[in-house]
DNA sequence: TCCGATTATATGCAGATGCATGTAATCAAC
DNA sequence: GTTGATTACATGCATCTGCATATAATCGGA
């Protein structure tokens, strides 16, 4: 699922991997992350809660709900794995459906401020409550509290400028 | 990006999280995983190696390359995050481009056996070599060897019937 | 053996997505 | 304050994707 690495470590594995072994470890790790992501996403997709908003749309609603003020499209784009035009049209749909409001930025006429409407906040919360339970269920079924905290810390290190887990 | 949980732990956090705190930890962890996934996928998408096969197509080529014999579509589907019709058509394209061969299953006329052609194996290897280096780069830049091994183990636990990391 | 249930894959169709590009506003330097 | 570069976002168009459904084969009994 990930990449092509050297078939196998040549000799006995040293305590600290070097060269090819290090590359192999890194790739195995990424593949494990991909597999976990894939498996969990399927599980979550099966929840019967995505009628008002698709998972991607929910992602945007959630991101907006976590932000203090209104956000610009480009800011949202940093948090959502979608092309700029893709996000633009996704937001269009959310605006059409009355879940998001778009108002002009007084300071910059190119940009527009996006924020949740009451309905949007409502949908986000309704989905979030149920989805949050599923997430917790899946994660705590598989990992202990210590492991969860470890994973949170490790995953955080994979993203740039991370505020970091309190841990 | 993930879900809605209780605003904050009410009292002092106990050594082992319970109830709401546990749910909160699980959700924070999942969000960290999503963020890491999102960030790294973007980084990898920017590599200039996806002209012969898209990332999803590569995923299929890679999966096929890791399997001993030919695979059926439904088997591939277990490893690829894509609907069955979506995968069916993706494979169509790969067959049309001569990267994958589809031959009838003698034992089951409903199924068909999928395997890499020489060209397909070639493309997979060429992409995999470069991509594997990028993956290794990104992962080892962010994590130590110990951390990589830990993450591999933790991520493996999030998928079912995992062979498990040798640890 | 025949029939309903299940499994494996394909297809029609509507909608979503990405790439290339367009439009408009801001910025930077002269 | 003009001009070229950059930034923010939108749109045309081809392609990809998912949902519902179709088709075909296999399986499990009666």
């Amino acid at each position: 699922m990930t990449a092509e690495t050297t078939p196998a470590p040549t000799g006995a594995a040293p305590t600290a991997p070097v060269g090819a072994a290090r590359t192999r470890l890194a790739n195995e790790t990424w593949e494990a992350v991909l597999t976990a992501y894939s498996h969990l996403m399927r599980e979550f997709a099966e929840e019967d809660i995505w009628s008002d908003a698709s998972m991607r749309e929910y992602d945007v609603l959630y991101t907006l709900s976590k932000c203090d003020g209104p956000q610009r499209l480009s800011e949202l784009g940093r948090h959502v794995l979608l092309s700029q035009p893709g996000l633009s049209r996704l937001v269009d749909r959310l605006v059409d459906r009355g879940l998001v409001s778009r108002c002009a930025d007084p300071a910059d006429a190119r940009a527009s401020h996006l924020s949740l409407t009451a309905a949007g906040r409502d949908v986000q919360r309704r989905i979030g409550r149920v989805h949050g339970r599923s997430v917790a269920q899946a994660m705590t079924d598989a990992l202990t509290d210590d492991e969860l905290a470890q994973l949170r810390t490790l995953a955080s290190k994979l993203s740039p400028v991370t505020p970091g887990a309190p841990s």
Side-chain angles (χ1 to χ4, degrees), chain A:
Chain A
M1 195 183 272
T2 308
E4 190 75 353
T5 50
T6 341
T10 5
T15 313
V18 268
R22 188 190 191 70
T23 294
R24 157 171 287 271
L25 172 60
N27 277 272
E28 285 175 0
T29 303
W30 175 237
E31 180 160 350
V33 170
L34 278 188
T35 304
Y37 171 84
S38 181
H39 168 63
L40 288 171
M41 284 300 278
R42 281 197 184 201
E43 203 165 307
F44 297 148
E46 280 170 9
E47 298 176 277
D48 199 26
I49 56 178
W50 309 112
S51 53
D52 285 335
S54 71
M55 279 180 99
R56 267 182 168 165
E57 288 165 352
Y58 171 71
D59 196 355
V60 168
L61 296 180
Y62 175 77
T63 303
L64 281 176
S65 82
K66 285 290 160 190
C67 295
D68 290 336
Q71 295 293 306
R72 15 178 76 196
L73 200 67
S74 52
E75 198 53 44
L76 276 184
R78 264 182 268 287
H79 299 283
V80 178
L81 192 52
L82 202 60
S83 68
Q84 177 268 313
L87 181 57
S88 179
R89 283 199 253 251
L90 189 153
V91 167
D92 277 350
R93 274 174 269 146
L94 294 177
V95 170
D96 287 346
R97 280 189 262 152
L99 303 179
V100 166
S101 75
R102 213 198 298 256
C103 34
D105 183 338
D108 187 343
R110 296 169 302 177
S112 54
H113 280 162
L114 302 172
S115 51
L116 288 180
T117 62
R121 191 168 297 277
D122 197 60
V123 165
Q124 187 279 315
R125 283 192 182 133
R126 201 165 47 238
I127 295 178
R129 249 188 305 272
V130 181
H131 179 48
R133 276 197 287 272
S134 299
V135 169
Q137 179 81 48
M139 300 292 285
T140 57
D141 277 358
L143 300 176
T144 68
D145 294 324
D146 279 348
E147 289 172 333
L148 283 174
Q150 278 179 48
L151 178 54
R152 182 184 55 181
T153 302
L154 292 172
S156 296
K157 291 190 179 183
L158 288 174
S159 309
V161 295
T162 303
S167 173

